[in-house]
Amino acid sequence: MNQRLNWIDYIKVLCISLMVLCHVGMRGYVHQMIYAFHMPMFYLISGYLYKQKDWKMTLRCFMVPIVVISFFRLIYTCVSDCFLLGGVDFWSVFSYENFYKSHTGKASLFTGQWFVITLMLCRFVLGDVKLIGRYTSNYKFLGLVCLLWMSIQHIIVGESEFQYYYPYLCLAALPFMCFGRWLKERGLRNITTHKYTLAALFILFIVIATWNGEVDMSMNIYGKNYFFLFMTTLTSFVLLVWLFQRLPRNGIIETYAQGTLVILGTHLFIYKIFIDFIQIVRLCVR
């Protein structure tokens, strides 16, 4: 890996670490600030790194881990629910809604994997499926259309079950992926912005993120408006790139960054095992 891409590894490691912290219990104002950029940042970086592949290879690379993780989650769910709850709710676990919705309000084999599934679908749209790619070759226009739609969708659609469908979540992810792809083609050089400009961007990020409110992309929640999430992501991107372009190459960071998708897909499952273990210990002690 050349030095130019070191900042990508640092950003991935930072964002995945912040995500895990939020999922294990961090709440309040810090949680709000983290959600103002960390998941969109993953899509932006994915767009920057995007290289067209055959859809069958993309499907295999994404679905094999999803199927394997879901299989072990199924086995664990059966065992833990029998021990802790006295039985398994198979209707919830195998609900057909789990296969096309990010949130169903029920137990799911795909908990924590919505990002991986959505990223795979976005790759299909951007060109991995050539039939679709013929109509989306102008990715800049595609990104702008999705950005516009997501900024007004709360007015036109309002609250709808459709907003939890994986294909609909792609509409929220594509503006960030298209922007990342544009940055790659344009050529991202070292950011040498003046320190006062950086300070202004940091203040702008804090102000907008605070005003915009809570964000959760997996549930189609973008605060007051999706456009402000887009702004906080771009401002934080400039700040993080400026910071991490100045850090040296680090083998531990590179290794950690290579496992980002694995952590994204498994951390909630691992956390559930930990919580269940604590409950079992308490039951045994009693």
Side-chain angles (χ1 to χ4, degrees):
M1 179 181 295
N2 55 47
Q3 189 173 357
R4 180 185 173 188
L5 297 181
N6 287 343
W7 57 269
I8 291 182
D9 287 333
Y10 279 103
I11 290 179
K12 289 169 68 176
V13 168
L14 172 66
C15 289
I16 195 68
S17 301
L18 293 175
M19 181 200 69
V20 172
L21 285 175
C22 287
H23 283 171
V24 299
M26 180 180 289
R27 292 292 181 267
Y29 185 72
V30 176
H31 179 276
Q32 181 176 328
M33 293 299 102
I34 293 173
Y35 269 67
F37 75 92
H38 81 303
M39 292 312 297
M41 192 70 69
F42 279 123
Y43 287 118
L44 195 157
I45 295 300
S46 298
Y48 189 91
L49 297 175
Y50 175 77
K51 292 181 180 179
Q52 186 175 348
K53 298 179 181 179
D54 182 73
W55 70 271
K56 293 187 289 294
M57 179 180 295
T58 301
L59 184 67
R60 182 168 61 251
C61 291
F62 282 86
M63 286 307 299
V64 169
I66 290 174
V67 171
V68 170
I69 294 170
S70 299
F71 174 74
F72 282 106
R73 186 179 181 90
L74 172 62
I75 295 176
Y76 177 77
T77 298
C78 292
V79 174
S80 64
D81 284 3
C82 285
F83 187 86
L84 295 173
L85 303 177
V88 182
D89 185 0
F90 286 104
W91 288 109
S92 294
V93 175
F94 291 104
S95 171
Y96 65 92
E97 291 182 325
N98 291 329
F99 293 91
Y100 63 87
K101 292 176 66 176
S102 61
H103 281 277
T104 63
K106 306 174 183 177
S108 173
L109 294 178
F110 307 120
T111 300
Q113 300 186 48
W114 69 270
F115 172 87
V116 181
I117 296 173
T118 305
L119 179 59
M120 177 183 68
L121 296 178
C122 286
R123 289 189 59 92
F124 289 163
V125 171
L126 287 176
D128 285 8
V129 176
K130 293 182 179 179
L131 181 62
I132 301 176
R134 294 175 185 174
Y135 301 97
T136 60
S137 57
N138 189 349
Y139 70 87
K140 300 173 188 176
F141 177 74
L142 173 65
L144 288 174
V145 169
C146 290
L147 175 61
L148 175 62
W149 170 254
M150 293 306 300
S151 299
I152 63 174
Q153 56 110 15
H154 63 288
I155 301 175
I156 300 176
V157 179
E159 291 294 329
S160 172
E161 178 181 319
F162 185 69
Q163 65 188 0
Y164 302 114
Y165 291 9
Y166 289 121
Y168 194 85
L169 292 179
C170 289
L171 298 179
L174 282 169
F176 299 104
M177 290 196 67
C178 291
F179 183 78
R181 189 173 177 183
W182 173 77
L183 281 177
K184 180 64 175 293
E185 292 187 358
R186 183 175 179 270
L188 182 62
R189 301 178 180 178
N190 289 337
I191 296 178
T192 57
T193 306
H194 195 278
K195 60 181 179 180
Y196 292 117
T197 303
L198 293 170
L201 287 175
F202 179 74
I203 294 173
L204 181 65
F205 169 81
I206 296 297
V207 170
I208 297 178
T210 301
W211 179 82
N212 194 39
E214 289 290 338
V215 171
D216 189 340
M217 289 191 71
S218 68
M219 298 187 67
N220 201 50
I221 298 174
Y222 308 107
K224 289 182 172 60
N225 194 283
Y226 175 89
F227 180 74
F228 297 112
L229 172 64
F230 194 80
M231 289 182 62
T232 55
T233 302
L234 297 193
T235 53
S236 61
F237 176 77
V238 174
L239 292 169
L240 292 177
V241 172
W242 175 85
L243 173 63
F244 292 137
Q245 279 182 339
R246 285 152 178 76
L247 297 183
R249 178 177 178 177
N250 186 294
I252 297 177
I253 294 295
E254 289 182 12
T255 302
Y256 192 5
Q258 290 173 357
T260 298
L261 282 181
V262 176
I263 298 173
L264 277 166
T266 61
H267 74 282
L268 284 177
F269 178 34
I270 295 173
Y271 181 62
K272 175 175 169 50
I273 293 176
F274 174 75
I275 295 299
D276 288 347
F277 174 76
I278 298 299
Q279 292 181 353
I280 292 173
V281 170
R282 288 177 178 174
L283 290 173
C284 294
V285 171
R286 291 178 184 176

